[in-house]
Amino acid sequence: MNIDEVTEILNEFKLLALLAPQHIFITDEPITEELDGIVARFRGLSPKQKRGVIVLSRDADASTVPHEWIHAALGLGERVAYPFGDLMKLRYEFRKKLKERFPILEERPRLIEVKYKPAEVSEKYKGRIEHYVLEE
Protein backbone atom coordinates (compact mmCIF):
# COMPACT_ATOMS: atom_id res chain seq x y z
CA MET A 1 0.00 0.00 0.00
CA ASN A 2 1.31 3.45 -0.86
CA ILE A 3 0.02 6.97 -0.19
CA ASP A 4 -1.66 7.21 -3.61
CA GLU A 5 -3.76 4.14 -2.89
CA VAL A 6 -4.61 5.43 0.59
CA THR A 7 -5.80 8.81 -0.72
CA GLU A 8 -7.76 7.13 -3.50
CA ILE A 9 -9.64 5.02 -0.94
CA LEU A 10 -10.27 8.00 1.36
CA ASN A 11 -11.44 10.18 -1.54
CA GLU A 12 -13.81 7.53 -2.85
CA PHE A 13 -16.08 8.00 0.16
CA LYS A 14 -17.07 11.47 1.39
CA LEU A 15 -17.25 10.54 5.07
CA LEU A 16 -13.76 9.03 5.02
CA ALA A 17 -12.42 12.14 3.29
CA LEU A 18 -14.27 14.50 5.60
CA LEU A 19 -12.72 12.94 8.71
CA ALA A 20 -9.41 11.90 7.11
CA PRO A 21 -6.52 11.26 9.51
CA GLN A 22 -4.00 14.07 9.98
CA HIS A 23 -0.98 11.75 9.86
CA ILE A 24 -0.35 8.57 7.89
CA PHE A 25 2.75 6.45 8.41
CA ILE A 26 3.64 3.69 5.94
CA THR A 27 6.35 1.14 6.63
CA ASP A 28 7.91 -1.71 4.67
CA GLU A 29 8.64 -3.56 7.90
CA PRO A 30 6.15 -6.02 9.34
CA ILE A 31 4.18 -4.72 12.32
CA THR A 32 4.26 -7.51 14.89
CA GLU A 33 3.68 -8.08 18.59
CA GLU A 34 3.99 -11.18 20.72
CA LEU A 35 0.71 -12.02 22.43
CA ASP A 36 0.64 -15.05 24.76
CA GLY A 37 3.57 -16.67 22.96
CA ILE A 38 2.06 -16.12 19.52
CA VAL A 39 3.47 -13.52 17.16
CA ALA A 40 0.60 -11.43 15.81
CA ARG A 41 1.11 -9.55 12.55
CA PHE A 42 -0.86 -6.38 11.87
CA ARG A 43 -1.62 -4.73 8.52
CA GLY A 44 -2.27 -1.44 10.27
CA LEU A 45 -2.54 0.34 13.59
CA SER A 46 -4.28 3.38 15.00
CA PRO A 47 -2.91 4.41 18.39
CA LYS A 48 -5.67 5.12 20.94
CA GLN A 49 -3.76 7.97 22.55
CA LYS A 50 -3.13 9.69 19.20
CA ARG A 51 -6.40 10.05 17.33
CA GLY A 52 -5.99 11.09 13.72
CA VAL A 53 -2.96 8.84 13.18
CA ILE A 54 -2.86 5.70 11.04
CA VAL A 55 0.12 3.37 10.63
CA LEU A 56 0.02 1.02 7.63
CA SER A 57 2.32 -1.78 6.56
CA ARG A 58 2.94 -2.48 2.88
CA ASP A 59 0.76 -5.59 3.05
CA ALA A 60 -2.28 -3.50 4.01
CA ASP A 61 -5.21 -3.79 1.61
CA ALA A 62 -8.32 -1.80 0.72
CA SER A 63 -10.07 -2.94 3.90
CA THR A 64 -7.24 -1.79 6.18
CA VAL A 65 -7.64 1.93 5.49
CA PRO A 66 -11.35 2.16 6.47
CA HIS A 67 -10.72 -0.29 9.34
CA GLU A 68 -8.03 1.94 10.83
CA TRP A 69 -9.99 5.07 9.89
CA ILE A 70 -12.90 4.03 12.10
CA HIS A 71 -10.49 3.61 15.03
CA ALA A 72 -8.76 6.95 14.38
CA ALA A 73 -11.79 9.08 13.50
CA LEU A 74 -14.52 7.62 15.70
CA GLY A 75 -12.64 5.63 18.32
CA LEU A 76 -14.72 2.50 17.69
CA GLY A 77 -13.44 -1.00 18.46
CA GLU A 78 -12.70 -4.15 16.51
CA ARG A 79 -16.30 -5.45 16.49
CA VAL A 80 -17.28 -2.53 14.29
CA ALA A 81 -13.96 -1.99 12.48
CA TYR A 82 -13.68 -5.45 10.87
CA PRO A 83 -17.12 -5.54 9.21
CA PHE A 84 -16.87 -1.84 8.30
CA GLY A 85 -13.47 -2.39 6.64
CA ASP A 86 -14.73 -5.43 4.72
CA LEU A 87 -17.89 -3.63 3.59
CA MET A 88 -15.96 -0.55 2.45
CA LYS A 89 -13.49 -2.77 0.56
CA LEU A 90 -16.38 -4.38 -1.33
CA ARG A 91 -17.88 -0.96 -2.13
CA TYR A 92 -14.49 0.38 -3.23
CA GLU A 93 -13.81 -2.57 -5.54
CA PHE A 94 -17.34 -2.36 -6.98
CA ARG A 95 -16.98 1.36 -7.70
CA LYS A 96 -13.57 0.81 -9.24
CA LYS A 97 -14.97 -1.79 -11.66
CA LEU A 98 -17.96 0.43 -12.40
CA LYS A 99 -15.66 3.32 -13.33
CA GLU A 100 -13.65 1.04 -15.62
CA ARG A 101 -16.83 0.11 -17.50
CA PHE A 102 -18.27 3.63 -17.49
CA PRO A 103 -15.41 6.17 -17.72
CA ILE A 104 -17.86 9.08 -17.57
CA LEU A 105 -18.25 8.38 -13.83
CA GLU A 106 -14.58 9.26 -13.36
CA GLU A 107 -15.23 12.84 -14.48
CA ARG A 108 -17.62 13.68 -11.63
CA PRO A 109 -16.17 16.41 -9.42
CA ARG A 110 -15.51 15.62 -5.77
CA LEU A 111 -16.84 18.00 -3.18
CA ILE A 112 -14.24 16.90 -0.66
CA GLU A 113 -10.80 15.72 -1.70
CA VAL A 114 -7.92 14.95 0.61
CA LYS A 115 -4.27 15.28 -0.30
CA TYR A 116 -1.22 14.37 1.70
CA LYS A 117 2.27 15.80 1.58
CA PRO A 118 5.48 14.12 2.77
CA ALA A 119 6.62 15.13 6.25
CA GLU A 120 9.75 14.74 8.31
CA VAL A 121 10.56 11.55 10.18
CA SER A 122 12.79 11.44 13.24
CA GLU A 123 16.35 10.28 12.65
CA LYS A 124 15.61 6.99 14.42
CA TYR A 125 13.04 6.01 11.75
CA LYS A 126 14.59 7.48 8.58
CA GLY A 127 14.63 4.94 5.78
CA ARG A 128 12.21 2.69 7.66
CA ILE A 129 8.97 4.65 7.57
CA GLU A 130 7.27 7.28 5.38
CA HIS A 131 5.29 10.03 7.09
CA TYR A 132 2.52 12.02 5.37
CA VAL A 133 0.55 14.97 6.70
CA LEU A 134 -2.89 16.09 5.53
CA GLU A 135 -2.72 19.24 3.39
CA GLU A 136 -5.01 22.05 4.47
Side-chain angles (χ1 to χ4, degrees):
M1 175 109 351
N2 62 42
I3 195 63
D4 294 331
E5 293 170 305
V6 173
T7 55
E8 184 181 331
I9 292 167
L10 291 171
N11 284 324
E12 190 62 36
F13 305 102
K14 290 175 189 66
L15 181 62
L16 297 185
L18 183 63
L19 299 173
Q22 285 292 116
H23 300 272
I24 295 179
F25 295 90
I26 301 175
T27 181
D28 281 327
E29 298 176 12
I31 302 171
T32 60
E33 183 179 4
E34 188 172 329
L35 303 168
D36 299 326
I38 299 170
V39 176
R41 186 172 178 152
F42 301 95
R43 294 183 293 175
L45 296 169
S46 180
K48 283 184 182 180
Q49 64 275 23
K50 294 199 177 194
R51 289 265 174 94
V53 175
I54 291 179
V55 180
L56 300 170
S57 67
R58 293 282 181 198
D59 57 348
D61 65 9
S63 72
T64 309
V65 175
H67 176 104
E68 297 305 333
W69 174 90
I70 207 158
H71 292 315
L74 305 178
L76 297 175
E78 298 298 330
R79 287 188 179 178
V80 175
Y82 274 108
F84 181 76
D86 292 339
L87 177 65
M88 296 305 279
K89 178 182 177 181
L90 288 172
R91 287 184 65 197
Y92 173 71
E93 290 171 349
F94 175 75
R95 286 183 174 192
K96 202 171 178 181
K97 287 179 183 175
L98 198 61
K99 287 180 182 179
E100 287 172 6
R101 287 191 67 165
F102 305 102
I104 191 134
L105 295 175
E106 194 71 44
E107 297 173 11
R108 292 177 31 194
R110 291 186 170 140
L111 299 174
I112 302 166
E113 187 168 12
V114 296
K115 293 180 184 173
Y116 286 90
K117 61 183 177 184
E120 287 295 314
V121 178
S122 72
E123 201 61 41
K124 180 180 176 181
Y125 298 107
K126 276 201 183 236
R128 298 175 50 203
I129 196 162
E130 298 168 8
H131 177 204
Y132 300 93
V133 177
L134 186 64
E135 287 185 7
E136 297 297 324

mmCIF file of all heavy atoms in Angstrom, residues 85-120:
data_model
loop_
_atom_site.group_PDB
_atom_site.id
_atom_site.type_symbol
_atom_site.label_atom_id
_atom_site.label_comp_id
_atom_site.label_asym_id
_atom_site.label_seq_id
_atom_site.Cartn_x
_atom_site.Cartn_y
_atom_site.Cartn_z
ATOM 1 N N GLY A 85 -14.573 -2.314 7.594
ATOM 2 C CA GLY A 85 -13.470 -2.394 6.635
ATOM 3 C C GLY A 85 -13.789 -3.316 5.473
ATOM 4 O O GLY A 85 -13.541 -2.986 4.312
ATOM 5 N N ASP A 86 -14.371 -4.480 5.771
ATOM 6 C CA ASP A 86 -14.730 -5.432 4.716
ATOM 7 C C ASP A 86 -15.814 -4.873 3.796
ATOM 8 O O ASP A 86 -15.738 -5.014 2.572
ATOM 9 C CB ASP A 86 -15.192 -6.757 5.316
ATOM 10 C CG ASP A 86 -14.062 -7.510 6.004
ATOM 11 O OD1 ASP A 86 -12.885 -7.228 5.696
ATOM 12 O OD2 ASP A 86 -14.362 -8.375 6.848
ATOM 13 N N LEU A 87 -16.809 -4.224 4.383
ATOM 14 C CA LEU A 87 -17.886 -3.631 3.587
ATOM 15 C C LEU A 87 -17.351 -2.518 2.682
ATOM 16 O O LEU A 87 -17.683 -2.450 1.493
ATOM 17 C CB LEU A 87 -18.991 -3.083 4.505
ATOM 18 C CG LEU A 87 -20.144 -2.383 3.819
ATOM 19 C CD1 LEU A 87 -20.921 -3.364 2.954
ATOM 20 C CD2 LEU A 87 -21.062 -1.753 4.847
ATOM 21 N N MET A 88 -16.515 -1.648 3.235
ATOM 22 C CA MET A 88 -15.955 -0.548 2.446
ATOM 23 C C MET A 88 -15.040 -1.066 1.341
ATOM 24 O O MET A 88 -14.987 -0.496 0.261
ATOM 25 C CB MET A 88 -15.216 0.432 3.351
ATOM 26 C CG MET A 88 -16.120 1.133 4.352
ATOM 27 S SD MET A 88 -17.513 1.988 3.597
ATOM 28 C CE MET A 88 -16.722 3.481 3.079
ATOM 29 N N LYS A 89 -14.339 -2.160 1.595
ATOM 30 C CA LYS A 89 -13.494 -2.771 0.555
ATOM 31 C C LYS A 89 -14.359 -3.252 -0.604
ATOM 32 O O LYS A 89 -14.030 -3.013 -1.769
ATOM 33 C CB LYS A 89 -12.691 -3.929 1.134
ATOM 34 C CG LYS A 89 -11.832 -4.635 0.105
ATOM 35 C CD LYS A 89 -11.097 -5.808 0.711
ATOM 36 C CE LYS A 89 -10.305 -6.539 -0.348
ATOM 37 N NZ LYS A 89 -9.603 -7.705 0.201
ATOM 38 N N LEU A 90 -15.470 -3.913 -0.279
ATOM 39 C CA LEU A 90 -16.381 -4.382 -1.333
ATOM 40 C C LEU A 90 -16.935 -3.214 -2.137
ATOM 41 O O LEU A 90 -16.983 -3.264 -3.369
ATOM 42 C CB LEU A 90 -17.533 -5.184 -0.731
ATOM 43 C CG LEU A 90 -17.187 -6.559 -0.192
ATOM 44 C CD1 LEU A 90 -18.380 -7.150 0.553
ATOM 45 C CD2 LEU A 90 -16.729 -7.474 -1.304
ATOM 46 N N ARG A 91 -17.349 -2.150 -1.449
ATOM 47 C CA ARG A 91 -17.878 -0.958 -2.135
ATOM 48 C C ARG A 91 -16.802 -0.312 -3.010
ATOM 49 O O ARG A 91 -17.078 0.116 -4.131
ATOM 50 C CB ARG A 91 -18.390 0.059 -1.117
ATOM 51 C CG ARG A 91 -19.676 -0.339 -0.455
ATOM 52 C CD ARG A 91 -20.194 0.738 0.461
ATOM 53 N NE ARG A 91 -20.536 1.925 -0.324
ATOM 54 C CZ ARG A 91 -20.704 3.128 0.198
ATOM 55 N NH1 ARG A 91 -20.548 3.315 1.491
ATOM 56 N NH2 ARG A 91 -21.026 4.152 -0.567
ATOM 57 N N TYR A 92 -15.594 -0.224 -2.491
ATOM 58 C CA TYR A 92 -14.488 0.384 -3.227
ATOM 59 C C TYR A 92 -14.183 -0.413 -4.505
ATOM 60 O O TYR A 92 -14.051 0.154 -5.589
ATOM 61 C CB TYR A 92 -13.248 0.467 -2.334
ATOM 62 C CG TYR A 92 -12.009 0.932 -3.041
ATOM 63 C CD1 TYR A 92 -11.888 2.250 -3.456
ATOM 64 C CD2 TYR A 92 -10.966 0.052 -3.299
ATOM 65 C CE1 TYR A 92 -10.751 2.685 -4.115
ATOM 66 C CE2 TYR A 92 -9.831 0.485 -3.945
ATOM 67 C CZ TYR A 92 -9.734 1.795 -4.357
ATOM 68 O OH TYR A 92 -8.602 2.217 -5.006
ATOM 69 N N GLU A 93 -14.098 -1.725 -4.374
ATOM 70 C CA GLU A 93 -13.812 -2.566 -5.540
ATOM 71 C C GLU A 93 -14.950 -2.511 -6.557
ATOM 72 O O GLU A 93 -14.708 -2.505 -7.762
ATOM 73 C CB GLU A 93 -13.534 -3.998 -5.100
ATOM 74 C CG GLU A 93 -12.211 -4.123 -4.371
ATOM 75 C CD GLU A 93 -11.983 -5.477 -3.738
ATOM 76 O OE1 GLU A 93 -12.942 -6.302 -3.670
ATOM 77 O OE2 GLU A 93 -10.852 -5.711 -3.291
ATOM 78 N N PHE A 94 -16.205 -2.474 -6.086
ATOM 79 C CA PHE A 94 -17.345 -2.364 -6.980
ATOM 80 C C PHE A 94 -17.297 -1.044 -7.754
ATOM 81 O O PHE A 94 -17.472 -1.013 -8.968
ATOM 82 C CB PHE A 94 -18.657 -2.472 -6.186
ATOM 83 C CG PHE A 94 -19.878 -2.248 -7.023
ATOM 84 C CD1 PHE A 94 -20.324 -3.229 -7.895
ATOM 85 C CD2 PHE A 94 -20.575 -1.054 -6.946
ATOM 86 C CE1 PHE A 94 -21.457 -3.026 -8.681
ATOM 87 C CE2 PHE A 94 -21.702 -0.837 -7.723
ATOM 88 C CZ PHE A 94 -22.144 -1.815 -8.587
ATOM 89 N N ARG A 95 -17.049 0.061 -7.046
ATOM 90 C CA ARG A 95 -16.976 1.365 -7.704
ATOM 91 C C ARG A 95 -15.829 1.439 -8.697
ATOM 92 O O ARG A 95 -15.953 2.055 -9.750
ATOM 93 C CB ARG A 95 -16.824 2.479 -6.666
ATOM 94 C CG ARG A 95 -18.079 2.773 -5.921
ATOM 95 C CD ARG A 95 -17.872 3.925 -4.978
ATOM 96 N NE ARG A 95 -19.109 4.315 -4.349
ATOM 97 C CZ ARG A 95 -19.256 5.426 -3.659
ATOM 98 N NH1 ARG A 95 -18.255 6.244 -3.498
ATOM 99 N NH2 ARG A 95 -20.414 5.712 -3.115
ATOM 100 N N LYS A 96 -14.726 0.818 -8.352
ATOM 101 C CA LYS A 96 -13.568 0.814 -9.243
ATOM 102 C C LYS A 96 -13.903 0.101 -10.557
ATOM 103 O O LYS A 96 -13.591 0.590 -11.644
ATOM 104 C CB LYS A 96 -12.399 0.123 -8.536
ATOM 105 C CG LYS A 96 -11.053 0.473 -9.043
ATOM 106 C CD LYS A 96 -10.015 -0.115 -8.110
ATOM 107 C CE LYS A 96 -8.639 0.186 -8.626
ATOM 108 N NZ LYS A 96 -7.598 -0.365 -7.782
ATOM 109 N N LYS A 97 -14.557 -1.046 -10.467
ATOM 110 C CA LYS A 97 -14.967 -1.792 -11.663
ATOM 111 C C LYS A 97 -16.013 -1.016 -12.457
ATOM 112 O O LYS A 97 -15.994 -1.020 -13.685
ATOM 113 C CB LYS A 97 -15.504 -3.165 -11.279
ATOM 114 C CG LYS A 97 -14.418 -4.110 -10.839
ATOM 115 C CD LYS A 97 -14.981 -5.446 -10.438
ATOM 116 C CE LYS A 97 -13.864 -6.328 -9.933
ATOM 117 N NZ LYS A 97 -14.325 -7.597 -9.403
ATOM 118 N N LEU A 98 -16.921 -0.367 -11.751
ATOM 119 C CA LEU A 98 -17.956 0.430 -12.404
ATOM 120 C C LEU A 98 -17.326 1.568 -13.205
ATOM 121 O O LEU A 98 -17.727 1.840 -14.333
ATOM 122 C CB LEU A 98 -18.921 0.971 -11.351
ATOM 123 C CG LEU A 98 -20.280 1.456 -11.820
ATOM 124 C CD1 LEU A 98 -21.055 0.327 -12.480
ATOM 125 C CD2 LEU A 98 -21.058 2.003 -10.637
ATOM 126 N N LYS A 99 -16.334 2.222 -12.640
ATOM 127 C CA LYS A 99 -15.659 3.322 -13.333
ATOM 128 C C LYS A 99 -14.856 2.836 -14.541
ATOM 129 O O LYS A 99 -14.699 3.567 -15.514
ATOM 130 C CB LYS A 99 -14.742 4.075 -12.369
ATOM 131 C CG LYS A 99 -15.501 4.925 -11.394
ATOM 132 C CD LYS A 99 -14.562 5.645 -10.459
ATOM 133 C CE LYS A 99 -15.331 6.458 -9.456
ATOM 134 N NZ LYS A 99 -14.443 7.150 -8.519
ATOM 135 N N GLU A 100 -14.352 1.606 -14.470
ATOM 136 C CA GLU A 100 -13.648 1.037 -15.624
ATOM 137 C C GLU A 100 -14.613 0.803 -16.780
ATOM 138 O O GLU A 100 -14.274 1.035 -17.927
ATOM 139 C CB GLU A 100 -12.972 -0.280 -15.231
ATOM 140 C CG GLU A 100 -11.753 -0.102 -14.351
ATOM 141 C CD GLU A 100 -11.230 -1.421 -13.819
ATOM 142 O OE1 GLU A 100 -11.725 -2.507 -14.216
ATOM 143 O OE2 GLU A 100 -10.317 -1.371 -12.971
ATOM 144 N N ARG A 101 -15.824 0.363 -16.459
ATOM 145 C CA ARG A 101 -16.832 0.109 -17.498
ATOM 146 C C ARG A 101 -17.466 1.381 -18.022
ATOM 147 O O ARG A 101 -17.842 1.475 -19.174
ATOM 148 C CB ARG A 101 -17.925 -0.819 -16.963
ATOM 149 C CG ARG A 101 -17.439 -2.243 -16.815
ATOM 150 C CD ARG A 101 -18.568 -3.155 -16.553
ATOM 151 N NE ARG A 101 -19.423 -3.228 -17.729
ATOM 152 C CZ ARG A 101 -20.331 -4.149 -17.910
ATOM 153 N NH1 ARG A 101 -20.503 -5.068 -17.017
ATOM 154 N NH2 ARG A 101 -21.087 -4.145 -18.983
ATOM 155 N N PHE A 102 -17.623 2.362 -17.131
ATOM 156 C CA PHE A 102 -18.269 3.628 -17.491
ATOM 157 C C PHE A 102 -17.345 4.795 -17.136
ATOM 158 O O PHE A 102 -17.489 5.411 -16.082
ATOM 159 C CB PHE A 102 -19.615 3.778 -16.767
ATOM 160 C CG PHE A 102 -20.556 2.630 -17.004
ATOM 161 C CD1 PHE A 102 -20.742 1.647 -16.041
ATOM 162 C CD2 PHE A 102 -21.237 2.528 -18.202
ATOM 163 C CE1 PHE A 102 -21.603 0.582 -16.261
ATOM 164 C CE2 PHE A 102 -22.111 1.469 -18.427
ATOM 165 C CZ PHE A 102 -22.285 0.486 -17.465
ATOM 166 N N PRO A 103 -16.406 5.118 -18.010
ATOM 167 C CA PRO A 103 -15.414 6.169 -17.720
ATOM 168 C C PRO A 103 -16.016 7.535 -17.410
ATOM 169 O O PRO A 103 -15.373 8.356 -16.764
ATOM 170 C CB PRO A 103 -14.576 6.228 -18.989
ATOM 171 C CG PRO A 103 -14.817 4.950 -19.693
ATOM 172 C CD PRO A 103 -16.173 4.483 -19.291
ATOM 173 N N ILE A 104 -17.236 7.781 -17.849
ATOM 174 C CA ILE A 104 -17.859 9.077 -17.575
ATOM 175 C C ILE A 104 -18.017 9.321 -16.074
ATOM 176 O O ILE A 104 -18.016 10.457 -15.609
ATOM 177 C CB ILE A 104 -19.216 9.212 -18.299
ATOM 178 C CG1 ILE A 104 -19.696 10.645 -18.218
ATOM 179 C CG2 ILE A 104 -20.247 8.303 -17.693
ATOM 180 C CD1 ILE A 104 -20.197 11.189 -19.486
ATOM 181 N N LEU A 105 -18.126 8.248 -15.286
ATOM 182 C CA LEU A 105 -18.250 8.380 -13.833
ATOM 183 C C LEU A 105 -16.978 8.960 -13.216
ATOM 184 O O LEU A 105 -17.026 9.588 -12.161
ATOM 185 C CB LEU A 105 -18.554 7.024 -13.192
ATOM 186 C CG LEU A 105 -19.896 6.409 -13.554
ATOM 187 C CD1 LEU A 105 -20.008 5.018 -12.960
ATOM 188 C CD2 LEU A 105 -21.034 7.289 -13.087
ATOM 189 N N GLU A 106 -15.856 8.754 -13.859
ATOM 190 C CA GLU A 106 -14.577 9.260 -13.361
ATOM 191 C C GLU A 106 -14.521 10.782 -13.393
ATOM 192 O O GLU A 106 -13.819 11.402 -12.614
ATOM 193 C CB GLU A 106 -13.437 8.677 -14.205
ATOM 194 C CG GLU A 106 -12.068 8.839 -13.617
ATOM 195 C CD GLU A 106 -11.839 7.968 -12.400
ATOM 196 O OE1 GLU A 106 -12.212 6.787 -12.428
ATOM 197 O OE2 GLU A 106 -11.307 8.495 -11.413
ATOM 198 N N GLU A 107 -15.284 11.389 -14.283
ATOM 199 C CA GLU A 107 -15.226 12.836 -14.483
ATOM 200 C C GLU A 107 -16.028 13.633 -13.461
ATOM 201 O O GLU A 107 -15.937 14.850 -13.443
ATOM 202 C CB GLU A 107 -15.708 13.174 -15.894
ATOM 203 C CG GLU A 107 -14.835 12.579 -16.976
ATOM 204 C CD GLU A 107 -15.413 12.765 -18.362
ATOM 205 O OE1 GLU A 107 -16.387 13.525 -18.511
ATOM 206 O OE2 GLU A 107 -14.892 12.141 -19.287
ATOM 207 N N ARG A 108 -16.810 12.972 -12.628
ATOM 208 C CA ARG A 108 -17.615 13.682 -11.627
ATOM 209 C C ARG A 108 -16.714 14.408 -10.639
ATOM 210 O O ARG A 108 -15.776 13.831 -10.104
ATOM 211 C CB ARG A 108 -18.507 12.698 -10.884
ATOM 212 C CG ARG A 108 -19.576 12.110 -11.761
ATOM 213 C CD ARG A 108 -20.427 11.092 -11.071
ATOM 214 N NE ARG A 108 -20.600 11.336 -9.656
ATOM 215 C CZ ARG A 108 -21.072 10.437 -8.813
ATOM 216 N NH1 ARG A 108 -21.396 9.245 -9.246
ATOM 217 N NH2 ARG A 108 -21.209 10.715 -7.544
ATOM 218 N N PRO A 109 -17.009 15.677 -10.377
ATOM 219 C CA PRO A 109 -16.173 16.414 -9.417
ATOM 220 C C PRO A 109 -16.427 15.932 -7.987
ATOM 221 O O PRO A 109 -17.531 15.523 -7.649
ATOM 222 C CB PRO A 109 -16.620 17.862 -9.589
ATOM 223 C CG PRO A 109 -18.001 17.768 -10.118
ATOM 224 C CD PRO A 109 -18.060 16.507 -10.938
ATOM 225 N N ARG A 110 -15.390 15.997 -7.176
ATOM 226 C CA ARG A 110 -15.511 15.621 -5.773
ATOM 227 C C ARG A 110 -15.668 16.875 -4.939
ATOM 228 O O ARG A 110 -14.920 17.829 -5.106
ATOM 229 C CB ARG A 110 -14.274 14.853 -5.329
ATOM 230 C CG ARG A 110 -14.177 13.490 -5.963
ATOM 231 C CD ARG A 110 -13.018 12.732 -5.378
ATOM 232 N NE ARG A 110 -13.062 11.350 -5.818
ATOM 233 C CZ ARG A 110 -12.004 10.649 -6.158
ATOM 234 N NH1 ARG A 110 -10.813 11.198 -6.106
ATOM 235 N NH2 ARG A 110 -12.134 9.406 -6.528
ATOM 236 N N LEU A 111 -16.625 16.863 -4.051
ATOM 237 C CA LEU A 111 -16.839 18.003 -3.176
ATOM 238 C C LEU A 111 -15.738 18.108 -2.127
ATOM 239 O O LEU A 111 -15.328 19.191 -1.736
ATOM 240 C CB LEU A 111 -18.198 17.898 -2.488
ATOM 241 C CG LEU A 111 -19.400 17.878 -3.413
ATOM 242 C CD1 LEU A 111 -20.667 17.616 -2.632
ATOM 243 C CD2 LEU A 111 -19.497 19.190 -4.171
ATOM 244 N N ILE A 112 -15.296 16.967 -1.661
ATOM 245 C CA ILE A 112 -14.237 16.902 -0.659
ATOM 246 C C ILE A 112 -13.129 16.026 -1.239
ATOM 247 O O ILE A 112 -13.397 14.931 -1.709
ATOM 248 C CB ILE A 112 -14.746 16.273 0.646
ATOM 249 C CG1 ILE A 112 -15.927 17.060 1.192
ATOM 250 C CG2 ILE A 112 -13.631 16.170 1.672
ATOM 251 C CD1 ILE A 112 -16.684 16.331 2.268
ATOM 252 N N GLU A 113 -11.922 16.524 -1.204
ATOM 253 C CA GLU A 113 -10.800 15.722 -1.697
ATOM 254 C C GLU A 113 -9.602 15.943 -0.786
ATOM 255 O O GLU A 113 -9.208 17.074 -0.530
ATOM 256 C CB GLU A 113 -10.434 16.107 -3.125
ATOM 257 C CG GLU A 113 -9.403 15.190 -3.722
ATOM 258 C CD GLU A 113 -9.244 15.378 -5.208
ATOM 259 O OE1 GLU A 113 -9.755 16.360 -5.768
ATOM 260 O OE2 GLU A 113 -8.578 14.525 -5.818
ATOM 261 N N VAL A 114 -9.073 14.849 -0.264
ATOM 262 C CA VAL A 114 -7.920 14.949 0.615
ATOM 263 C C VAL A 114 -6.637 14.744 -0.181
ATOM 264 O O VAL A 114 -6.612 14.018 -1.173
ATOM 265 C CB VAL A 114 -7.975 13.943 1.785
ATOM 266 C CG1 VAL A 114 -9.141 14.214 2.691
ATOM 267 C CG2 VAL A 114 -8.006 12.523 1.292
ATOM 268 N N LYS A 115 -5.601 15.423 0.267
ATOM 269 C CA LYS A 115 -4.269 15.278 -0.303
ATOM 270 C C LYS A 115 -3.290 15.249 0.848
ATOM 271 O O LYS A 115 -3.483 15.936 1.853
ATOM 272 C CB LYS A 115 -3.944 16.446 -1.228
ATOM 273 C CG LYS A 115 -4.783 16.484 -2.476
ATOM 274 C CD LYS A 115 -4.406 17.665 -3.341
ATOM 275 C CE LYS A 115 -5.350 17.722 -4.535
ATOM 276 N NZ LYS A 115 -5.159 18.911 -5.336
ATOM 277 N N TYR A 116 -2.253 14.477 0.677
ATOM 278 C CA TYR A 116 -1.219 14.371 1.701
ATOM 279 C C TYR A 116 0.114 14.817 1.120
ATOM 280 O O TYR A 116 0.381 14.630 -0.061
ATOM 281 C CB TYR A 116 -1.101 12.932 2.213
ATOM 282 C CG TYR A 116 -2.245 12.541 3.104
ATOM 283 C CD1 TYR A 116 -3.401 11.965 2.587
ATOM 284 C CD2 TYR A 116 -2.181 12.765 4.470
ATOM 285 C CE1 TYR A 116 -4.456 11.629 3.415
ATOM 286 C CE2 TYR A 116 -3.240 12.429 5.305
ATOM 287 C CZ TYR A 116 -4.365 11.858 4.772
ATOM 288 O OH TYR A 116 -5.412 11.535 5.584
ATOM 289 N N LYS A 117 0.936 15.396 1.984
ATOM 290 C CA LYS A 117 2.273 15.796 1.577
ATOM 291 C C LYS A 117 3.274 15.082 2.481
ATOM 292 O O LYS A 117 2.979 14.800 3.654
ATOM 293 C CB LYS A 117 2.445 17.309 1.657
ATOM 294 C CG LYS A 117 2.272 17.883 3.043
ATOM 295 C CD LYS A 117 2.392 19.383 3.047
ATOM 296 C CE LYS A 117 2.124 19.906 4.469
ATOM 297 N NZ LYS A 117 2.120 21.326 4.544
ATOM 298 N N PRO A 118 4.455 14.781 1.948
ATOM 299 C CA PRO A 118 5.476 14.125 2.768
ATOM 300 C C PRO A 118 5.886 15.018 3.937
ATOM 301 O O PRO A 118 5.909 16.238 3.823
ATOM 302 C CB PRO A 118 6.648 13.930 1.807
ATOM 303 C CG PRO A 118 6.059 14.036 0.449
ATOM 304 C CD PRO A 118 4.880 14.955 0.564
ATOM 305 N N ALA A 119 6.199 14.401 5.056
ATOM 306 C CA ALA A 119 6.616 15.131 6.251
ATOM 307 C C ALA A 119 7.892 14.490 6.803
ATOM 308 O O ALA A 119 8.267 13.378 6.418
ATOM 309 C CB ALA A 119 5.510 15.116 7.293
ATOM 310 N N GLU A 120 8.506 15.204 7.703
ATOM 311 C CA GLU A 120 9.748 14.740 8.314
ATOM 312 C C GLU A 120 9.511 13.526 9.203
ATOM 313 O O GLU A 120 8.446 13.360 9.789
ATOM 314 C CB GLU A 120 10.374 15.850 9.153
ATOM 315 C CG GLU A 120 10.998 16.963 8.332
ATOM 316 C CD GLU A 120 12.191 16.493 7.525
ATOM 317 O OE1 GLU A 120 13.055 15.783 8.071
ATOM 318 O OE2 GLU A 120 12.244 16.837 6.337
#
